[in-house]
Amino acid sequence: MKVSHPAVRHYLLVTILFIFPIVKKANAVEPLLTTAHNFDSHAPIFESNPEQDLISFAKKLLGVKYRYGASSPTSGFDCSGFVHYVFKKFGVALPRSSSAMGKAGEDVSLAQAKAGDIILFTGTNPARRSIGHVGIVLSNSAESGLRFIHASSGKAQAVTETMLEGSYKRRFMKVVRVTAS
């Protein structure tokens, strides 16, 4: 079948890359065996650790363009749309806005933050100390610091990975845990 319309090709690609593996996993007797780089590998795409599964899925969205008010890989993401989309794929219902996400789950200290937690920041206006940006913690260690993934309206204009330093460290508000473990 020849598909020439770019939107249809993109939809098919998203379906093949994102939806098919999830449906296949849900219906599979054996785990889906694939990796991002080598489809002949015997490494499972989904680990036994739910937080790492969530992180792996979120990383597949790296580079998706930033778009205010958007919440899908085809139209783009704003920060809360990205977080909402990722957690929804794993059955975790979250509010759609970053400020409401700050009221979800259980507050966790920055030192106790771990992969899969939600990290919240003020918006870009330094005069307002209210939640206005959100991301997902990728890793947190004393040696290398905290790294998170988010849809950035800044320089990247896309889903990107960022260290908690500089302006993000100054804008940091809190971390919440919405997963069971």
Side-chain angles (χ1 to χ4, degrees), residues 104-108 175-178:
E106 172 187 343
D107 289 6
V108 178
V175 174
V176 295
R177 183 163 297 151
V178 295

Side-chain angles (χ1 to χ4, degrees), residues 10 137 144 169 179-180:
H10 185 74
V137 175
S144 57
K169 195 166 193 169
T179 57

Side-chain angles (χ1 to χ4, degrees), residues 51-68:
E51 287 81 14
Q52 288 306 315
D53 292 347
L54 186 133
I55 295 305
S56 295
F57 179 75
K59 284 186 170 188
K60 288 180 181 179
L61 300 168
L62 283 166
V64 173
K65 69 180 178 175
Y66 177 88
R67 184 170 173 203
Y68 181 79

Side-chain angles (χ1 to χ4, degrees), residues 5-181:
H5 193 276
V8 173
R9 278 195 308 240
H10 185 74
Y11 176 78
L12 290 172
L13 181 62
V14 168
T15 301
I16 291 166
L17 291 177
F18 295 109
I19 297 169
F20 180 72
I22 292 168
V23 171
K24 179 146 175 131
K25 180 183 182 278
N27 296 322
V29 174
E30 298 179 7
L32 178 63
L33 301 176
T34 185
T35 65
H37 302 292
N38 182 357
F39 288 102
D40 296 323
S41 170
H42 292 288
I45 190 168
F46 291 102
E47 307 288 329
S48 61
N49 181 332
E51 287 81 14
Q52 288 306 315
D53 292 347
L54 186 133
I55 295 305
S56 295
F57 179 75
K59 284 186 170 188
K60 288 180 181 179
L61 300 168
L62 283 166
V64 173
K65 69 180 178 175
Y66 177 88
R67 184 170 173 203
Y68 181 79
S71 60
S72 77
T74 53
S75 61
F77 292 110
D78 66 7
C79 65
S80 58
F82 169 70
V83 173
H84 185 266
Y85 179 84
V86 170
F87 278 89
K88 184 177 180 182
K89 291 294 180 188
F90 288 85
V92 178
L94 288 175
R96 177 59 177 82
S97 72
S98 57
S99 60
M101 285 180 192
K103 297 172 186 158
E106 172 187 343
D107 289 6
V108 178
S109 72
L110 186 57
Q112 296 300 313
K114 65 177 188 149
D117 287 343
I118 296 174
I119 187 165
L120 298 125
F121 304 91
T122 66
T124 55
N125 181 350
R128 290 192 65 203
R129 287 296 297 172
S130 59
I131 294 171
H133 188 65
V134 63
I136 303 169
V137 175
L138 293 173
S139 61
N140 188 19
S141 71
E143 301 82 38
S144 57
L146 187 141
R147 189 164 188 81
F148 63 99
I149 187 169
H150 60 126
S152 173
S153 63
K155 184 178 171 184
Q157 288 287 308
V159 174
T160 188
E161 293 182 30
T162 305
M163 292 297 298
L164 180 60
E165 58 190 15
S167 68
Y168 283 107
K169 195 166 193 169
R170 289 186 297 276
R171 292 171 49 200
F172 171 77
M173 294 287 287
K174 69 180 191 171
V175 174
V176 295
R177 183 163 297 151
V178 295
T179 57
S181 57

